[in-house]
């Protein structure tokens, strides 16, 4: 029964990923202005669902955080399946100036990470280049009235005119969502923060910059532990920088980080498991995994070029839910690694191989340094685990890969197909002289329109895609 059920689910989902009729993506919502001249501050720089998927947070280059809440289905509008509407908006970071280094610190939100919900309030971490903040998002629908020392308008009463004591009472009021900073973690990073990751113990988290990774406790703001430091004594000897870091989903002592040289290192923080490897201050030995866990695919000498090192730089790394696999994104591909096999990935998916011939022009316009993120389809049950992989590309295209059949599909986030429940049509890029009716030439791609940030609902087939200043939400057509 179990293999048969597994095969059935795989057929339904995977045919949809590849563009079949059993499972298709359709438009749900788009958030953001239609203005052609997009202000730099309005460009979305991160997207993240919370653990339940009820809330969706975005951060932008203007330092703002916008939280959308999943509304319940309406009986009056049954054709709309629970839209996401604005729940709270607040200014997370402000521009600063470091007078000691004569350095401007941008307000741009680099990452947002939710904490598991423990009570009625929600908590999230947000960071710019230098400062991490812990925010509490809470609701208030009652207010206290009947104070003894204050009038209803807030003015202090004359104590000599108070002849009797009153018991304040709570009165209903319009719902108010408040965002308040609970902790500020600052002054621990010399270089720009590129990653934060909440640990599975829900008490600590990692923050990574170009050369160091720090371990923080959520209750302690004035100190952190430096657990990785790759800064050489002579900066002229620097050959790589840290590009991303993430905690293991189940083992709070294990984390992974990637580098600009295309390597991934799996590390263990336990004192009993520490053993220095060749790199200084990098602890990578683990009693569960072989020592010196360095994942790197050997480069083919025949395909080496001037751009090889640039396009091999890893821009994102994610663990699978089971913790057995991890996924990395470089400029041209997505790779899936088995933690028990270091010398090569078990799966490789080409995102936009047709750009390999355009690397020179992409280098000239700096697009070759774009950092694309990737995400898993995180919906799973006792029978089913990871189905698909999603990542972004240019021309507002985003790609999905079927891990079972190795089929793929290219979709577009566009307002032209933004009618409710409109099915997304697969897009194809033509590299030859002749192209079919529905194809677009590789020379016609708009490199200013790029999808760097994507997120997948943790419990449902709902995806969020950030395209410049617009947030697109798509859902499967079956539901």
């Amino acid at each position: 029964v179990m293999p048969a059920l597994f095969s059935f689910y795989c057929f339904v989902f995977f045919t949809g990923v590849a563009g079949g009729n059993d499972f298709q993506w359709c438009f749900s919502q788009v958030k953001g202005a239609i203005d052609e001249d997009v202000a730099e501050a309005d460009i979305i720089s991160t997207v993240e669902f919370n653990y339940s998927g009820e809330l969706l947070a975005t951060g932008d280059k203007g330092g703002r955080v916008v939280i959308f809440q999943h509304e319940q289905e309406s009986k009056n509008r049954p054709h709309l399946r629970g839209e996401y509407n604005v729940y709270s908006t607040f200014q997370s970071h402000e521009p600063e100036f470091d007078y000691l280094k004569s350095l401007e610190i941008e307000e741009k939100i680099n990452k947002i990470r939710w904490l598991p919900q423990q009570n009625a309030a929600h908590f999230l971490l947000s960071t710019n280049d230098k400062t991490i903040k812990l925010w509490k998002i809470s609701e208030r629908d009652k207010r206290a009235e009947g104070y003894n020392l204050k009038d209803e308008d807030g003015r202090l009463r004359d104590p000599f005119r108070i002849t009797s004591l009153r018991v304040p009472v709570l009165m209903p009021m319009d719902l108010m969502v408040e965002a308040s900073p609970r902790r500020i973690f600052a002054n621990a990073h010399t270089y720009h923060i590129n990653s934060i990751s909440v640990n599975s113990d829900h008490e600590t988290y990692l923050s990574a910059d170009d050369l160091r990774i720090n371990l923080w406790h959520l209750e302690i703001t004035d100190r952190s532990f430096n657990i990785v430091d790759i800064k050489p004594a002579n900066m002229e000897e620097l050959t790589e920088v840290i590009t991303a870091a993430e905690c293991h989903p189940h083992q709070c002592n294990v984390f992974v980080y990637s580098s600009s040289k295309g390597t991934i290192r799996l590390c263990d923080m336990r004192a009993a498991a520490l053993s220095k490897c060749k790199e200084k201050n990098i602890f990578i030995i683990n009693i569960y995994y072989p020592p010196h866990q360095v994942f790197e695919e050997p480069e083919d000498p025949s395909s080496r070029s001037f751009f090889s090192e640039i396009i091999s730089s890893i821009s994102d790394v994610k663990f699978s839910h089971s913790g057995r696999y991890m996924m990395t994104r470089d400029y041209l591909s997505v790779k899936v690694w088995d933690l028990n096999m270091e010398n090569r990935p078990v799966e490789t998916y080409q995102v936009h191989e047709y750009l390999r011939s355009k690397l020179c022009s992409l280098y000239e316009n700096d697009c070759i340094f774009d950092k694309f993120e990737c995400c898993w389809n995180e919906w799973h049950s006792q029978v089913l685990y990871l189905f698909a992989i999603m990542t972004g590309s240019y021309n507002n295209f985003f790609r999905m890969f079927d891990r079972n059949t190795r089929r793929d599909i290219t979709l577009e986030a566009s307002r032209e197909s933004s009618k409710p429940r409109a099915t997304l049509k697969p897009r194809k890029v033509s590299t030859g002289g002749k192209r079919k009716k529905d194809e677009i030439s590789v020379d016609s791609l708009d490199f200013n329109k790029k999808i760097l940030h994507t997120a997948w609902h943790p419990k449902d087939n709902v995806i969020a895609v950030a395209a410049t200043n617009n947030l697109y939400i798509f859902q499967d057509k079956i539901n």
Side-chain angles (χ1 to χ4, degrees):
V1 175
M2 297 289 281
L5 184 60
F6 178 80
S7 300
F8 168 75
Y9 276 112
C10 287
F11 173 77
V12 172
F13 187 88
F14 289 134
T15 52
V17 171
N21 296 323
D22 294 314
F23 192 100
Q24 295 177 318
W25 291 99
C26 64
F27 173 83
S28 177
Q29 295 172 262
V30 59
K31 305 287 186 180
I34 314 178
D35 301 338
E36 294 184 2
D37 295 330
V38 179
E40 185 75 10
D42 294 333
I43 297 176
I44 298 175
S45 55
T46 184
V47 181
E48 188 78 10
F49 281 102
N50 73 338
Y51 281 73
S52 66
E54 291 299 310
L55 298 178
L56 172 62
T58 64
D60 61 28
K61 290 188 175 182
R64 296 180 296 268
V65 173
V66 180
I67 301 176
F68 301 92
Q69 184 182 44
H70 183 252
E71 303 290 347
Q72 297 299 320
E73 294 186 30
S74 174
K75 294 182 179 180
N76 298 327
R77 297 187 299 170
H79 62 285
L80 295 178
R81 192 187 78 180
E83 292 185 345
Y84 281 85
N85 294 320
V86 175
Y87 179 66
S88 177
T89 302
F90 58 93
Q91 188 72 29
S92 176
H93 287 72
E94 300 281 355
E96 301 175 26
F97 189 81
D98 189 335
Y99 291 97
L100 293 177
K101 298 180 180 179
S102 297
L103 181 68
E104 291 184 2
I105 302 174
E106 294 183 352
E107 64 272 32
K108 171 192 170 187
I109 307 298
N110 292 339
K111 293 290 180 182
I112 290 175
R113 289 292 181 264
W114 290 91
L115 274 65
Q117 188 176 5
Q118 306 289 345
N119 48 43
H122 299 273
F123 290 85
L124 63 81
L125 290 167
S126 64
T127 183
N128 65 350
D129 287 340
K130 298 292 183 181
T131 304
I132 306 165
K133 295 183 180 182
L134 175 65
W135 290 89
K136 177 183 179 181
I137 296 91
S138 55
E139 296 181 354
R140 187 153 60 96
D141 58 358
K142 293 181 176 61
R143 68 173 184 270
E145 292 185 357
Y147 287 106
N148 289 288
L149 300 180
K150 293 182 179 179
D151 292 326
E152 299 303 328
D153 57 4
R155 290 182 299 179
L156 291 174
R157 298 173 62 190
D158 186 352
F160 297 102
R161 296 184 179 181
I162 300 175
T163 58
S164 62
L165 295 179
R166 297 182 293 179
V167 178
V169 294
L170 294 176
M171 300 297 292
M173 59 176 286
D174 293 337
L175 179 66
M176 180 184 298
V177 180
E178 298 177 323
S180 55
R182 307 297 291 176
R183 306 277 189 277
I184 297 179
F185 308 88
N187 305 320
H189 284 277
T190 305
Y191 307 96
H192 292 175
I193 299 172
N194 55 49
S195 300
I196 51 176
S197 179
V198 180
N199 213 336
S200 59
D201 59 11
H202 303 155
E203 295 182 353
T204 58
Y205 73 93
L206 298 179
S207 62
D209 64 22
D210 291 343
L211 298 180
R212 296 186 178 95
I213 300 178
N214 293 333
L215 178 68
W216 298 84
H217 194 284
L218 287 167
E219 300 295 330
I220 302 173
T221 61
D222 58 351
R223 64 183 181 274
S224 62
F225 295 96
N226 178 229
I227 55 177
V228 171
D229 188 348
I230 65 171
K231 182 180 180 180
N234 183 2
M235 286 295 286
E236 293 182 357
E237 300 175 358
L238 183 67
T239 59
E240 62 180 337
V241 295
I242 298 169
T243 55
E246 181 168 294
C247 296
H248 192 279
H250 307 301
Q251 301 179 43
C252 60
N253 53 285
V254 177
F255 68 98
V256 69
Y257 73 92
S258 58
S259 79
S260 57
K261 292 182 69 175
T263 59
I264 311 104
R265 292 179 172 89
L266 189 70
C267 311
D268 193 322
M269 293 182 284
R270 290 173 297 184
L274 295 182
S275 174
K276 286 194 176 183
C277 84
K278 294 181 181 178
E279 293 88 357
K280 182 181 179 182
N281 293 336
I282 301 177
F283 304 101
I284 315 182
I285 207 166
N286 190 309
I287 61 173
Y288 295 117
Y289 304 114
H292 306 300
Q293 282 285 98
V294 180
F295 300 81
E296 186 174 15
E297 186 176 22
E299 184 184 6
D300 183 2
S302 63
S303 62
R304 180 165 181 80
S305 68
F306 171 79
F307 306 105
S308 295
E309 188 168 333
I310 300 175
I311 63 176
S312 65
S313 176
I314 296 174
S315 56
D316 195 17
V317 57
K318 294 283 196 323
F319 275 107
S320 67
H321 260 285
S322 64
R324 169 70 183 273
Y325 301 96
M326 59 184 176
M327 171 177 55
T328 60
R329 170 69 204 265
D330 55 44
Y331 189 70
L332 293 179
S333 64
V334 173
K335 298 176 182 177
V336 178
W337 302 78
D338 188 325
L339 296 191
N340 294 321
M341 189 166 67
E342 307 169 30
N343 58 344
R344 61 183 177 87
V346 292
E347 301 165 24
T348 300
Y349 304 96
Q350 300 300 331
V351 179
H352 36 218
E353 184 65 17
Y354 47 79
L355 294 181
R356 190 174 292 274
S357 62
K358 305 287 183 182
L359 293 179
C360 186
S361 58
L362 291 168
Y363 178 79
E364 292 175 352
N365 61 19
D366 286 340
C367 285
I368 200 171
F369 301 106
D370 287 333
K371 300 185 182 302
F372 293 93
E373 297 177 2
C374 54
C375 61
W376 305 92
N377 167 26
E378 297 185 334
W379 182 87
H380 65 283
S381 67
Q382 294 179 351
V383 181
L384 300 171
Y385 277 88
L386 304 168
F387 290 119
I389 288 169
M390 178 172 62
T391 190
S393 182
Y394 294 104
N395 209 70
N396 278 0
F397 288 168
F398 59 99
R399 302 268 282 145
M400 288 189 176
F401 301 95
D402 170 349
R403 292 192 62 212
N404 187 51
T405 64
R406 300 298 180 93
R407 292 185 293 184
D408 61 86
I409 186 173
T410 301
L411 301 173
E412 182 181 8
S414 170
R415 286 185 177 269
E416 295 178 1
S417 58
S418 59
K419 297 179 181 179
R421 307 288 291 177
T423 303
L424 299 185
K425 296 181 179 179
R427 301 303 304 271
K428 292 184 179 181
V429 178
S430 172
T431 57
K434 295 182 179 180
R435 57 187 178 91
K436 297 179 181 179
K437 180 181 179 181
D438 296 332
E439 293 182 339
I440 181 173
S441 172
V442 66
D443 298 319
S444 302
L445 296 176
D446 188 345
F447 294 106
N448 293 318
K449 294 181 179 179
K450 60 192 78 172
I451 292 179
L452 304 177
H453 314 286
T454 59
W456 207 311
H457 193 288
K459 298 180 180 179
D460 205 350
N461 279 316
V462 175
I463 56 176
V465 172
T468 317
N469 65 321
N470 293 316
L471 177 68
Y472 290 85
I473 299 176
F474 304 104
Q475 63 189 30
D476 65 88
K477 196 162 188 176
I478 290 179
N479 293 323

